[in-house]
Amino acid sequence: MKRYKTIMLLIVAVRCSLSVAVAQTDSLNHYLEMAARNNPGVKADFTAYQAALQRIPQMGALENPQLELGFFLQPMELVDGRQVADIQLMQMFPWFGTRKAARTEAQHMAQMAYEQFRETRDRLFLDVYTQWFTLCRLRQQFINNQDNKALLVQLEELALQRFASPAPSGGGEVSGSPAGIPGEASQQTNAGSAGRDGMNMGSPPATAGSGQSGTAGSMGSMAGSGGMGVSPPGMSDVLRIRMEIAEMDSRAESLQSEIQAEKAKLNALLNRPADSDVHLPDSLRQLPFLFDISLIREQISDQNPMLGMLGEEEAAYKAKAEMDRKMSYPMFGIGLQYMLIRKKTVNAEMDVMETGVSSMNGKDMLMPMVSVSIPIYRKKYRAQQRENALLQQAVREKHLNTRNLLEAELYRTRHLLDDAARRMALYRRQMELAQAACNLVVREFASGRSDLSGVIQVQRQLLDYALKTSEAVADYNIMVATVQKLMSSNEE
Protein backbone atom coordinates (compact mmCIF):
# COMPACT_ATOMS: atom_id res chain seq x y z
CA MET A 1 0.00 0.00 0.00
CA LYS A 2 2.80 2.39 0.88
CA ARG A 3 4.59 1.49 -2.34
CA TYR A 4 1.43 2.27 -4.32
CA LYS A 5 1.12 5.68 -2.63
CA THR A 6 4.78 6.41 -3.37
CA ILE A 7 4.32 5.58 -7.06
CA MET A 8 1.21 7.75 -7.25
CA LEU A 9 3.08 10.66 -5.63
CA LEU A 10 5.91 10.27 -8.13
CA ILE A 11 3.43 10.28 -11.02
CA VAL A 12 1.77 13.44 -9.69
CA ALA A 13 5.16 15.10 -9.22
CA VAL A 14 6.21 14.23 -12.77
CA ARG A 15 2.94 15.56 -14.14
CA CYS A 16 3.31 18.78 -12.16
CA SER A 17 6.88 19.25 -13.35
CA LEU A 18 5.82 18.65 -16.95
CA SER A 19 2.95 21.11 -16.63
CA VAL A 20 5.32 23.72 -15.17
CA ALA A 21 7.79 23.12 -18.00
CA VAL A 22 5.05 23.46 -20.59
CA ALA A 23 3.81 26.64 -18.92
CA GLN A 24 7.32 28.09 -18.99
CA THR A 25 7.76 27.06 -22.61
CA ASP A 26 4.45 28.62 -23.58
CA SER A 27 5.05 31.89 -21.74
CA LEU A 28 5.84 35.11 -23.54
CA ASN A 29 8.88 35.69 -21.35
CA HIS A 30 10.40 32.49 -22.68
CA TYR A 31 10.16 33.77 -26.26
CA LEU A 32 11.52 37.17 -25.23
CA GLU A 33 14.55 35.53 -23.65
CA MET A 34 14.98 33.29 -26.68
CA ALA A 35 14.86 36.29 -28.99
CA ALA A 36 17.41 38.21 -26.91
CA ARG A 37 19.80 35.25 -27.01
CA ASN A 38 19.35 34.12 -30.61
CA ASN A 39 18.40 37.14 -32.71
CA PRO A 40 21.31 37.93 -35.10
CA GLY A 41 20.72 41.70 -34.98
CA VAL A 42 20.93 41.82 -31.18
CA LYS A 43 23.96 39.53 -31.18
CA ALA A 44 25.67 41.73 -33.77
CA ASP A 45 25.15 44.91 -31.72
CA PHE A 46 26.28 43.18 -28.53
CA THR A 47 29.41 41.95 -30.31
CA ALA A 48 30.04 45.51 -31.51
CA TYR A 49 29.76 46.66 -27.90
CA GLN A 50 32.30 44.03 -26.81
CA ALA A 51 34.61 45.17 -29.60
CA ALA A 52 34.26 48.79 -28.43
CA LEU A 53 35.34 47.72 -24.94
CA GLN A 54 38.62 46.47 -26.41
CA ARG A 55 39.45 49.98 -27.58
CA ILE A 56 39.77 51.28 -23.99
CA PRO A 57 43.16 49.66 -23.27
CA GLN A 58 44.32 50.63 -26.76
CA MET A 59 43.58 54.32 -26.21
CA GLY A 60 45.31 54.30 -22.82
CA ALA A 61 48.51 52.67 -24.01
CA LEU A 62 51.75 54.48 -24.74
CA GLU A 63 53.11 54.80 -28.24
CA ASN A 64 55.53 52.11 -29.30
CA PRO A 65 59.18 52.86 -28.49
CA GLN A 66 61.43 53.58 -31.44
CA LEU A 67 64.56 51.51 -31.91
CA GLU A 68 67.18 52.66 -34.42
CA LEU A 69 70.10 50.44 -35.46
CA GLY A 70 73.03 51.73 -37.54
CA PHE A 71 76.02 49.68 -38.73
CA PHE A 72 79.18 50.98 -40.36
CA LEU A 73 80.33 49.01 -43.35
CA GLN A 74 83.85 50.15 -42.49
CA PRO A 75 84.51 50.92 -38.85
CA MET A 76 84.78 54.65 -38.22
CA GLU A 77 88.07 55.69 -36.60
CA LEU A 78 87.67 57.40 -33.25
CA VAL A 79 90.21 58.64 -30.74
CA ASP A 80 89.83 55.61 -28.56
CA GLY A 81 88.73 52.95 -30.98
CA ARG A 82 86.72 52.26 -34.05
CA GLN A 83 82.91 52.67 -34.02
CA VAL A 84 81.15 49.71 -35.55
CA ALA A 85 77.45 50.35 -34.81
CA ASP A 86 75.08 52.87 -33.25
CA ILE A 87 71.90 51.80 -31.41
CA GLN A 88 69.20 54.25 -30.22
CA LEU A 89 66.08 53.53 -28.22
CA MET A 90 63.47 56.28 -27.60
CA GLN A 91 60.12 56.27 -25.77
CA MET A 92 57.74 59.22 -26.16
CA PHE A 93 55.33 60.31 -23.42
CA PRO A 94 52.33 62.57 -24.01
CA TRP A 95 51.39 65.44 -21.75
CA PHE A 96 50.05 64.60 -18.30
CA GLY A 97 46.40 63.48 -18.42
CA THR A 98 46.32 62.84 -22.19
CA ARG A 99 46.08 59.08 -21.84
CA LYS A 100 43.34 59.38 -19.20
CA ALA A 101 41.30 61.63 -21.49
CA ALA A 102 41.77 59.14 -24.34
CA ARG A 103 40.56 56.28 -22.14
CA THR A 104 37.56 58.35 -21.04
CA GLU A 105 36.62 58.99 -24.66
CA ALA A 106 36.91 55.28 -25.47
CA GLN A 107 34.74 54.41 -22.47
CA HIS A 108 32.01 56.78 -23.60
CA MET A 109 32.20 55.41 -27.14
CA ALA A 110 31.83 51.88 -25.75
CA GLN A 111 28.84 53.04 -23.71
CA MET A 112 27.34 54.44 -26.91
CA ALA A 113 27.67 50.99 -28.46
CA TYR A 114 25.94 49.52 -25.41
CA GLU A 115 23.06 51.99 -25.70
CA GLN A 116 22.73 51.03 -29.36
CA PHE A 117 22.54 47.39 -28.27
CA ARG A 118 19.78 48.30 -25.78
CA GLU A 119 17.83 50.13 -28.49
CA THR A 120 18.07 47.12 -30.80
CA ARG A 121 17.03 44.80 -27.97
CA ASP A 122 14.04 46.97 -27.01
CA ARG A 123 12.95 47.21 -30.65
CA LEU A 124 13.22 43.42 -30.92
CA PHE A 125 11.12 42.99 -27.76
CA LEU A 126 8.46 45.29 -29.20
CA ASP A 127 8.44 43.26 -32.43
CA VAL A 128 8.07 40.03 -30.42
CA TYR A 129 5.24 41.57 -28.37
CA THR A 130 3.52 42.75 -31.56
CA GLN A 131 3.80 39.37 -33.24
CA TRP A 132 2.70 37.55 -30.10
CA PHE A 133 -0.43 39.63 -29.61
CA THR A 134 -1.16 39.51 -33.34
CA LEU A 135 -1.07 35.72 -33.17
CA CYS A 136 -3.26 35.75 -30.05
CA ARG A 137 -5.74 38.01 -31.85
CA LEU A 138 -5.86 35.73 -34.88
CA ARG A 139 -6.29 32.67 -32.67
CA GLN A 140 -9.11 34.36 -30.78
CA GLN A 141 -10.77 35.29 -34.06
CA PHE A 142 -10.40 31.70 -35.22
CA ILE A 143 -12.07 30.48 -32.00
CA ASN A 144 -14.91 32.98 -32.40
CA ASN A 145 -15.33 31.90 -36.00
CA GLN A 146 -15.57 28.26 -34.97
CA ASP A 147 -18.09 29.09 -32.24
CA ASN A 148 -20.21 30.97 -34.76
CA LYS A 149 -19.96 28.03 -37.14
CA ALA A 150 -21.14 25.67 -34.38
CA LEU A 151 -24.20 27.87 -33.81
CA LEU A 152 -24.91 27.90 -37.54
CA VAL A 153 -24.75 24.10 -37.56
CA GLN A 154 -27.35 24.05 -34.78
CA LEU A 155 -29.52 26.46 -36.80
CA GLU A 156 -29.13 24.18 -39.81
CA GLU A 157 -30.39 21.21 -37.80
CA LEU A 158 -33.33 23.29 -36.59
CA ALA A 159 -34.14 24.43 -40.13
CA LEU A 160 -33.96 20.84 -41.37
CA GLN A 161 -36.33 19.74 -38.62
CA ARG A 162 -38.78 22.50 -39.55
CA PHE A 163 -38.55 21.59 -43.21
CA ALA A 164 -39.00 17.87 -42.59
CA SER A 165 -41.84 18.17 -40.05
CA PRO A 166 -45.38 17.54 -41.46
CA ALA A 167 -47.91 20.37 -41.62
CA PRO A 168 -50.51 20.27 -38.80
CA SER A 169 -54.09 19.63 -39.93
CA GLY A 170 -56.60 22.31 -38.97
CA GLY A 171 -59.68 20.91 -40.77
CA GLY A 172 -59.59 20.33 -44.47
CA GLU A 173 -56.47 20.09 -46.51
CA VAL A 174 -55.43 23.18 -48.47
CA SER A 175 -54.17 22.50 -51.91
CA GLY A 176 -50.82 24.03 -52.72
CA SER A 177 -49.49 24.28 -49.10
CA PRO A 178 -46.08 22.65 -48.68
CA ALA A 179 -45.20 20.23 -45.91
CA GLY A 180 -43.33 21.46 -42.90
CA ILE A 181 -45.18 24.80 -42.41
CA PRO A 182 -44.94 25.90 -38.75
CA GLY A 183 -47.92 26.36 -36.45
CA GLU A 184 -48.45 30.05 -37.19
CA ALA A 185 -48.64 29.41 -40.94
CA SER A 186 -51.15 26.58 -40.38
CA GLN A 187 -53.28 28.83 -38.22
CA GLN A 188 -53.23 31.49 -40.90
CA THR A 189 -54.19 28.88 -43.50
CA ASN A 190 -57.04 27.64 -41.32
CA ALA A 191 -58.15 31.21 -40.82
CA GLY A 192 -58.19 31.58 -44.58
CA SER A 193 -60.33 28.46 -44.87
CA ALA A 194 -62.71 29.77 -42.22
CA GLY A 195 -62.97 33.01 -44.05
CA ARG A 196 -63.68 31.14 -47.21
CA ASP A 197 -66.46 29.16 -45.44
CA GLY A 198 -67.91 32.39 -44.17
CA MET A 199 -67.91 33.79 -47.64
CA ASN A 200 -69.62 30.68 -48.90
CA MET A 201 -72.19 30.92 -46.15
CA GLY A 202 -72.99 34.44 -47.21
CA SER A 203 -73.36 33.45 -50.86
CA PRO A 204 -76.33 31.78 -52.41
CA PRO A 205 -76.22 28.00 -52.59
CA ALA A 206 -74.61 26.71 -55.68
CA THR A 207 -75.52 23.68 -57.54
CA ALA A 208 -73.17 20.81 -57.98
CA GLY A 209 -71.02 21.54 -60.91
CA SER A 210 -67.97 23.23 -62.09
CA GLY A 211 -68.95 26.63 -60.62
CA GLN A 212 -68.83 25.63 -56.98
CA SER A 213 -65.74 23.55 -57.34
CA GLY A 214 -64.04 26.36 -59.27
CA THR A 215 -64.93 28.87 -56.56
CA ALA A 216 -63.68 26.60 -53.81
CA GLY A 217 -60.49 25.83 -55.75
CA SER A 218 -59.78 29.50 -56.40
CA MET A 219 -60.36 30.44 -52.78
CA GLY A 220 -58.24 27.52 -51.64
CA SER A 221 -55.43 28.57 -53.89
CA MET A 222 -55.72 32.12 -52.54
CA ALA A 223 -55.53 30.84 -49.00
CA GLY A 224 -52.58 28.63 -49.90
CA SER A 225 -50.77 31.53 -51.50
CA GLY A 226 -51.46 33.67 -48.46
CA GLY A 227 -50.04 30.99 -46.23
CA MET A 228 -46.91 30.76 -48.36
CA GLY A 229 -46.34 34.50 -48.10
CA VAL A 230 -46.50 34.57 -44.28
CA SER A 231 -44.79 31.33 -43.38
CA PRO A 232 -40.97 31.17 -43.39
CA PRO A 233 -39.40 29.33 -46.28
CA GLY A 234 -38.24 25.79 -45.85
CA MET A 235 -35.29 24.47 -47.84
CA SER A 236 -34.14 28.00 -48.70
CA ASP A 237 -33.32 28.55 -45.01
CA VAL A 238 -31.15 25.46 -45.01
CA LEU A 239 -29.34 26.60 -48.13
CA ARG A 240 -28.74 30.08 -46.75
CA ILE A 241 -27.34 28.59 -43.54
CA ARG A 242 -25.08 26.33 -45.54
CA MET A 243 -23.85 29.38 -47.46
CA GLU A 244 -22.98 31.03 -44.15
CA ILE A 245 -21.18 27.87 -42.99
CA ALA A 246 -19.18 27.80 -46.23
CA GLU A 247 -18.20 31.42 -45.60
CA MET A 248 -17.14 30.50 -42.06
CA ASP A 249 -15.00 27.66 -43.42
CA SER A 250 -13.34 29.98 -45.92
CA ARG A 251 -12.66 32.53 -43.21
CA ALA A 252 -11.19 29.82 -40.99
CA GLU A 253 -8.82 28.74 -43.77
CA SER A 254 -7.80 32.35 -44.32
CA LEU A 255 -7.14 32.80 -40.61
CA GLN A 256 -5.10 29.60 -40.49
CA SER A 257 -2.98 30.78 -43.40
CA GLU A 258 -2.46 34.18 -41.79
CA ILE A 259 -1.52 32.52 -38.50
CA GLN A 260 1.13 30.45 -40.27
CA ALA A 261 2.55 33.57 -41.91
CA GLU A 262 2.69 35.44 -38.59
CA LYS A 263 4.28 32.41 -36.90
CA ALA A 264 6.99 32.40 -39.55
CA LYS A 265 7.67 36.07 -38.82
CA LEU A 266 7.88 35.39 -35.08
CA ASN A 267 10.21 32.45 -35.69
CA ALA A 268 12.40 34.72 -37.81
CA LEU A 269 12.73 37.06 -34.82
CA LEU A 270 13.65 34.05 -32.67
CA ASN A 271 16.13 32.82 -35.31
CA ARG A 272 14.30 29.50 -35.64
CA PRO A 273 12.99 27.57 -38.63
CA ALA A 274 9.86 29.13 -40.10
CA ASP A 275 7.75 26.03 -39.46
CA SER A 276 8.62 25.79 -35.76
CA ASP A 277 5.60 25.47 -33.52
CA VAL A 278 4.53 28.44 -31.39
CA HIS A 279 2.44 27.76 -28.29
CA LEU A 280 -0.35 30.30 -27.82
CA PRO A 281 -2.81 30.79 -24.96
CA ASP A 282 -6.45 29.89 -25.45
CA SER A 283 -7.67 33.40 -24.66
CA LEU A 284 -6.46 36.94 -25.26
CA ARG A 285 -6.44 38.99 -22.08
CA GLN A 286 -5.83 42.65 -21.41
CA LEU A 287 -2.50 43.47 -19.77
CA PRO A 288 -2.75 45.28 -16.43
CA PHE A 289 -1.13 48.68 -16.83
CA LEU A 290 -1.30 51.97 -14.91
CA PHE A 291 -0.47 54.99 -17.09
CA ASP A 292 1.28 57.63 -14.97
CA ILE A 293 2.56 60.17 -17.49
CA SER A 294 4.83 62.05 -15.07
CA LEU A 295 6.55 58.85 -13.93
CA ILE A 296 6.84 57.58 -17.50
CA ARG A 297 8.37 60.86 -18.70
CA GLU A 298 10.92 60.69 -15.90
CA GLN A 299 11.84 57.12 -16.76
CA ILE A 300 12.13 58.00 -20.44
CA SER A 301 14.50 60.83 -19.58
CA ASP A 302 16.62 58.57 -17.39
CA GLN A 303 16.52 55.22 -19.19
CA ASN A 304 15.68 55.65 -22.87
CA PRO A 305 18.64 54.30 -24.90
CA MET A 306 18.36 56.93 -27.64
CA LEU A 307 18.77 59.73 -25.11
CA GLY A 308 21.48 57.75 -23.34
CA MET A 309 23.34 57.28 -26.61
CA LEU A 310 23.31 61.02 -27.33
CA GLY A 311 24.39 61.79 -23.77
CA GLU A 312 27.35 59.43 -24.09
CA GLU A 313 28.24 60.95 -27.46
CA GLU A 314 28.35 64.43 -25.94
CA ALA A 315 30.53 63.15 -23.07
CA ALA A 316 32.84 61.49 -25.62
CA TYR A 317 33.26 64.80 -27.47
CA LYS A 318 34.06 66.52 -24.19
CA ALA A 319 36.74 63.94 -23.44
CA LYS A 320 38.08 64.29 -26.99
CA ALA A 321 38.28 68.06 -26.56
CA GLU A 322 40.28 67.54 -23.38
CA MET A 323 42.56 65.07 -25.13
CA ASP A 324 43.10 67.42 -28.10
CA ARG A 325 43.88 70.27 -25.73
CA LYS A 326 46.54 68.21 -23.98
CA MET A 327 47.88 67.02 -27.31
CA SER A 328 48.65 70.66 -28.12
CA TYR A 329 51.24 70.62 -25.32
CA PRO A 330 54.77 69.29 -25.80
CA MET A 331 55.53 65.58 -25.73
CA PHE A 332 58.59 64.25 -23.95
CA GLY A 333 60.87 61.44 -25.00
CA ILE A 334 63.38 59.47 -22.96
CA GLY A 335 65.88 57.14 -24.54
CA LEU A 336 69.34 55.64 -24.68
CA GLN A 337 72.06 55.64 -27.30
CA TYR A 338 74.57 52.82 -27.37
CA MET A 339 77.72 52.98 -29.50
CA LEU A 340 79.57 49.76 -30.23
CA ILE A 341 83.35 50.50 -30.41
CA ARG A 342 86.25 48.16 -31.21
CA LYS A 343 89.74 48.49 -29.84
CA LYS A 344 92.61 49.94 -31.79
CA THR A 345 95.55 47.54 -32.28
CA VAL A 346 99.15 48.84 -31.79
CA ASN A 347 102.56 47.18 -32.49
CA ALA A 348 104.82 48.89 -30.05
CA GLU A 349 104.83 51.04 -26.99
CA MET A 350 106.05 54.04 -29.04
CA ASP A 351 103.08 53.77 -31.36
CA VAL A 352 100.83 53.80 -28.36
CA MET A 353 102.38 56.97 -27.06
CA GLU A 354 102.21 58.68 -30.48
CA THR A 355 98.65 57.80 -31.21
CA GLY A 356 97.44 58.72 -27.71
CA VAL A 357 95.51 55.51 -27.10
CA SER A 358 94.28 55.42 -23.51
CA SER A 359 92.47 53.04 -21.25
CA MET A 360 89.17 53.97 -22.97
CA ASN A 361 90.31 52.15 -26.08
CA GLY A 362 87.52 49.85 -27.32
CA LYS A 363 85.10 50.74 -24.54
CA ASP A 364 81.44 50.98 -25.66
CA MET A 365 79.58 54.19 -25.01
CA LEU A 366 76.12 54.55 -23.36
CA MET A 367 74.41 57.92 -23.57
CA PRO A 368 71.01 58.88 -22.05
CA MET A 369 68.84 60.98 -24.33
CA VAL A 370 65.86 63.32 -23.85
CA SER A 371 63.65 64.73 -26.64
CA VAL A 372 60.83 67.25 -26.66
CA SER A 373 58.25 67.87 -29.39
CA ILE A 374 57.48 71.52 -30.06
CA PRO A 375 53.85 72.08 -31.19
CA ILE A 376 54.33 75.45 -32.84
CA TYR A 377 51.56 75.11 -35.47
CA ARG A 378 48.69 76.30 -33.30
CA LYS A 379 46.02 76.74 -35.98
CA LYS A 380 45.19 73.07 -36.20
CA TYR A 381 44.85 72.75 -32.44
CA ARG A 382 42.53 75.77 -32.26
CA ALA A 383 40.50 74.29 -35.14
CA GLN A 384 40.22 71.03 -33.23
CA GLN A 385 38.81 72.82 -30.20
CA ARG A 386 36.25 74.68 -32.32
CA GLU A 387 35.29 71.42 -34.02
CA ASN A 388 34.70 69.68 -30.70
CA ALA A 389 32.62 72.61 -29.39
CA LEU A 390 30.44 72.55 -32.52
CA LEU A 391 30.02 68.78 -32.31
CA GLN A 392 28.91 69.05 -28.68
CA GLN A 393 26.39 71.72 -29.61
CA ALA A 394 25.05 69.55 -32.46
CA VAL A 395 24.64 66.60 -30.09
CA ARG A 396 22.78 68.78 -27.56
CA GLU A 397 20.38 69.87 -30.29
CA LYS A 398 19.88 66.24 -31.32
CA HIS A 399 19.24 65.31 -27.70
CA LEU A 400 16.58 68.00 -27.36
CA ASN A 401 14.96 67.04 -30.68
CA THR A 402 14.92 63.33 -29.76
CA ARG A 403 13.42 64.11 -26.37
CA ASN A 404 10.66 66.16 -27.98
CA LEU A 405 9.93 63.37 -30.47
CA LEU A 406 9.80 60.77 -27.69
CA GLU A 407 7.43 62.95 -25.69
CA ALA A 408 5.19 63.40 -28.74
CA GLU A 409 5.24 59.63 -29.29
CA LEU A 410 4.33 59.13 -25.65
CA TYR A 411 1.25 61.34 -25.96
CA ARG A 412 0.28 59.63 -29.21
CA THR A 413 0.67 56.24 -27.54
CA ARG A 414 -1.51 57.40 -24.64
CA HIS A 415 -4.19 58.45 -27.13
CA LEU A 416 -4.06 55.07 -28.86
CA LEU A 417 -4.08 53.32 -25.48
CA ASP A 418 -7.14 55.24 -24.31
CA ASP A 419 -8.83 54.69 -27.67
CA ALA A 420 -8.22 50.95 -27.45
CA ALA A 421 -9.62 50.93 -23.91
CA ARG A 422 -12.74 52.81 -25.03
CA ARG A 423 -13.22 50.42 -27.95
CA MET A 424 -12.87 47.42 -25.66
CA ALA A 425 -15.54 48.75 -23.30
CA LEU A 426 -17.84 49.62 -26.20
CA TYR A 427 -17.47 46.30 -28.02
CA ARG A 428 -17.90 44.28 -24.86
CA ARG A 429 -21.13 46.11 -24.10
CA GLN A 430 -22.29 45.61 -27.67
CA MET A 431 -21.36 41.94 -27.48
CA GLU A 432 -23.53 41.54 -24.39
CA LEU A 433 -26.46 43.20 -26.13
CA ALA A 434 -25.86 41.28 -29.35
CA GLN A 435 -25.66 38.01 -27.43
CA ALA A 436 -28.96 38.75 -25.69
CA ALA A 437 -30.55 39.70 -29.02
CA CYS A 438 -29.15 36.57 -30.62
CA ASN A 439 -30.66 34.35 -27.94
CA LEU A 440 -34.05 36.01 -28.42
CA VAL A 441 -33.94 35.81 -32.22
CA VAL A 442 -32.91 32.16 -32.15
CA ARG A 443 -35.82 31.30 -29.82
CA GLU A 444 -38.19 33.25 -32.05
CA PHE A 445 -36.83 31.44 -35.09
CA ALA A 446 -37.28 28.09 -33.37
CA SER A 447 -40.87 28.96 -32.53
CA GLY A 448 -41.56 30.21 -36.05
CA ARG A 449 -42.14 33.85 -35.11
CA SER A 450 -39.04 35.11 -36.95
CA ASP A 451 -37.33 34.40 -40.23
CA LEU A 452 -33.72 33.41 -40.83
CA SER A 453 -32.57 36.84 -42.03
CA GLY A 454 -32.81 38.34 -38.56
CA VAL A 455 -30.86 35.45 -37.04
CA ILE A 456 -28.07 35.71 -39.59
CA GLN A 457 -27.87 39.48 -39.22
CA VAL A 458 -27.57 39.29 -35.44
CA GLN A 459 -25.02 36.49 -35.76
CA ARG A 460 -22.91 38.59 -38.09
CA GLN A 461 -23.07 41.53 -35.68
CA LEU A 462 -22.07 39.28 -32.80
CA LEU A 463 -19.12 37.88 -34.73
CA ASP A 464 -18.10 41.36 -35.86
CA TYR A 465 -18.12 42.65 -32.26
CA ALA A 466 -16.09 39.64 -31.14
CA LEU A 467 -13.50 40.30 -33.85
CA LYS A 468 -13.36 44.00 -33.00
CA THR A 469 -12.98 43.19 -29.30
CA SER A 470 -9.98 40.92 -29.96
CA GLU A 471 -8.45 43.60 -32.19
CA ALA A 472 -8.96 46.25 -29.49
CA VAL A 473 -7.37 44.03 -26.81
CA ALA A 474 -4.41 43.27 -29.08
CA ASP A 475 -3.99 46.99 -29.90
CA TYR A 476 -4.13 47.86 -26.20
CA ASN A 477 -1.47 45.29 -25.30
CA ILE A 478 0.76 46.44 -28.17
CA MET A 479 0.47 50.04 -26.95
CA VAL A 480 1.44 48.88 -23.47
CA ALA A 481 4.53 47.23 -24.98
CA THR A 482 5.27 50.46 -26.86
CA VAL A 483 5.20 52.46 -23.61
CA GLN A 484 7.51 49.88 -22.03
CA LYS A 485 9.88 50.28 -24.96
CA LEU A 486 9.91 54.05 -24.48
CA MET A 487 10.72 53.61 -20.80
CA SER A 488 13.21 50.82 -21.61
CA SER A 489 15.10 48.94 -18.93
CA ASN A 490 18.68 48.84 -17.75
CA GLU A 491 18.56 45.09 -17.15
CA GLU A 492 20.87 43.05 -19.33
Side-chain angles (χ1 to χ4, degrees):
M1 187 66 180
K2 293 182 178 180
R3 184 178 180 182
Y4 175 78
K5 290 183 178 180
T6 304
I7 294 175
M8 291 302 297
L9 289 175
L10 289 175
I11 293 175
V12 171
V14 170
R15 288 183 178 179
C16 291
S17 61
L18 289 177
S19 62
V20 171
V22 171
Q24 292 177 353
T25 304
D26 295 351
S27 65
L28 177 58
N29 293 330
H30 172 74
Y31 291 113
L32 290 173
E33 182 180 357
M34 184 183 299
R37 293 183 181 275
N38 300 334
N39 185 266
V42 174
K43 292 170 67 176
D45 285 345
F46 186 74
T47 305
Y49 162 65
Q50 290 179 324
L53 290 177
Q54 303 304 318
R55 296 188 59 188
I56 298 177
Q58 299 177 34
M59 299 298 291
L62 291 171
E63 294 185 3
N64 295 326
Q66 295 181 359
L67 177 63
E68 297 182 3
L69 301 176
F71 296 94
F72 294 96
L73 299 179
Q74 293 183 357
M76 186 176 66
E77 295 292 336
L78 299 177
V79 176
D80 293 325
R82 295 181 299 170
Q83 186 176 1
V84 179
D86 187 11
I87 303 174
Q88 294 184 5
L89 180 65
M90 181 66 66
Q91 175 65 61
M92 300 299 296
F93 295 92
W95 192 262
F96 305 103
T98 304
R99 296 167 54 200
K100 181 179 179 181
R103 285 195 300 268
T104 302
E105 180 192 4
Q107 289 173 356
H108 289 299
M109 296 296 291
Q111 193 65 26
M112 282 181 59
Y114 178 72
E115 296 296 332
Q116 178 62 44
F117 155 72
R118 287 183 57 219
E119 173 64 19
T120 305
R121 181 202 61 182
D122 293 344
R123 189 167 56 249
L124 172 66
F125 285 170
L126 179 58
D127 292 339
V128 173
Y129 272 114
T130 303
Q131 287 302 118
W132 174 265
F133 292 125
T134 299
L135 285 170
C136 293
R137 172 180 61 83
L138 293 174
R139 179 176 175 83
Q140 188 65 39
Q141 291 181 356
F142 180 80
I143 294 174
N144 295 335
N145 186 81
Q146 295 303 106
D147 293 341
N148 190 40
K149 178 184 174 182
L151 183 56
L152 288 175
V153 170
Q154 294 178 1
L155 289 176
E156 181 186 11
E157 294 177 356
L158 180 59
L160 286 173
Q161 291 176 2
R162 292 181 58 186
F163 176 72
S165 61
S169 60
E173 249 184 37
V174 180
S175 64
S177 60
I181 296 179
E184 289 188 358
S186 302
Q187 292 175 4
Q188 293 172 1
T189 306
N190 294 334
S193 301
R196 182 197 60 190
D197 295 338
M199 290 176 65
N200 290 337
M201 288 174 64
S203 61
T207 58
S210 61
Q212 183 178 0
S213 61
T215 304
S218 60
M219 295 301 295
S221 61
M222 290 173 60
S225 62
M228 285 294 291
V230 175
S231 64
M235 192 60 188
S236 61
D237 288 348
V238 178
L239 296 178
R240 290 176 61 186
I241 294 174
R242 289 178 179 177
M243 290 169 57
E244 291 293 327
I245 293 176
E247 184 177 352
M248 293 295 104
D249 292 337
S250 177
R251 185 177 299 174
E253 293 178 0
S254 177
L255 288 173
Q256 288 283 18
S257 177
E258 190 174 358
I259 288 174
Q260 292 299 324
E262 297 298 333
K263 281 185 178 181
K265 189 174 180 180
L266 178 60
N267 286 322
L269 297 175
L270 304 180
N271 194 24
R272 301 195 305 177
D275 56 349
S276 298
D277 194 15
V278 177
H279 299 279
L280 298 173
D282 294 333
S283 61
L284 177 60
R285 298 180 180 179
Q286 177 184 355
L287 292 178
F289 184 72
L290 178 61
F291 194 95
D292 188 351
I293 191 166
S294 59
L295 179 61
I296 293 174
R297 290 176 62 182
E298 182 180 355
Q299 291 185 354
I300 289 176
S301 179
D302 295 339
Q303 300 181 6
N304 187 269
M306 296 299 296
L307 297 178
M309 189 187 309
L310 293 173
E312 294 296 333
E313 186 177 2
E314 183 180 1
Y317 283 134
K318 288 181 180 179
K320 184 177 182 299
E322 180 68 15
M323 183 187 67
D324 291 340
R325 186 178 64 85
K326 293 183 179 296
M327 288 293 291
S328 64
Y329 298 155
M331 295 180 63
F332 301 96
I334 300 176
L336 293 174
Q337 182 178 6
Y338 182 77
M339 293 182 293
L340 183 61
I341 299 175
R342 290 182 181 178
K343 291 183 178 181
K344 282 186 177 181
T345 58
V346 293
N347 296 327
E349 184 178 353
M350 186 59 65
D351 296 335
V352 172
M353 294 177 62
E354 290 179 354
T355 56
V357 176
S358 65
S359 60
M360 297 294 292
N361 182 24
K363 188 174 182 179
D364 298 337
M365 301 297 295
L366 183 64
M367 179 176 63
M369 298 176 59
V370 177
S371 65
V372 179
S373 63
I374 305 175
I376 59 176
Y377 304 105
R378 307 302 300 174
K379 288 185 178 180
K380 69 174 184 178
Y381 298 110
R382 287 192 291 268
Q384 286 178 351
Q385 293 300 315
R386 289 193 297 269
E387 177 189 5
N388 291 322
L390 292 173
L391 288 174
Q392 292 178 44
Q393 182 180 357
V395 171
R396 285 193 292 269
E397 297 297 334
K398 286 183 180 179
H399 188 280
L400 180 59
N401 182 56
T402 304
R403 185 171 183 175
N404 293 336
L405 292 177
L406 290 174
E407 186 173 356
E409 186 177 357
L410 174 62
Y411 278 93
R412 177 180 175 273
T413 305
R414 185 180 70 170
H415 160 68
L416 296 176
L417 196 67
D418 294 340
D419 182 70
R422 285 191 296 267
R423 287 188 288 126
M424 280 191 297
L426 173 63
Y427 295 145
R428 285 170 179 170
R429 177 58 178 166
Q430 290 178 332
M431 278 188 63
E432 293 177 359
L433 297 175
Q435 185 64 51
C438 180
N439 295 335
L440 292 175
V441 171
V442 170
R443 284 197 295 267
E444 291 176 356
F445 176 72
S447 62
R449 291 177 294 171
S450 174
D451 58 354
L452 184 63
S453 299
V455 179
I456 293 178
Q457 182 180 2
V458 174
Q459 276 297 109
R460 288 180 176 178
Q461 290 179 350
L462 184 61
L463 179 61
D464 183 62
Y465 293 147
L467 298 180
K468 289 181 178 180
T469 301
S470 61
E471 290 178 358
V473 174
D475 292 341
Y476 182 90
N477 292 342
I478 291 174
M479 289 302 106
V480 171
T482 303
V483 175
Q484 292 176 351
K485 176 188 178 298
L486 294 177
M487 294 188 298
S488 188
S489 174
N490 291 325
E491 297 180 0
E492 297 183 0

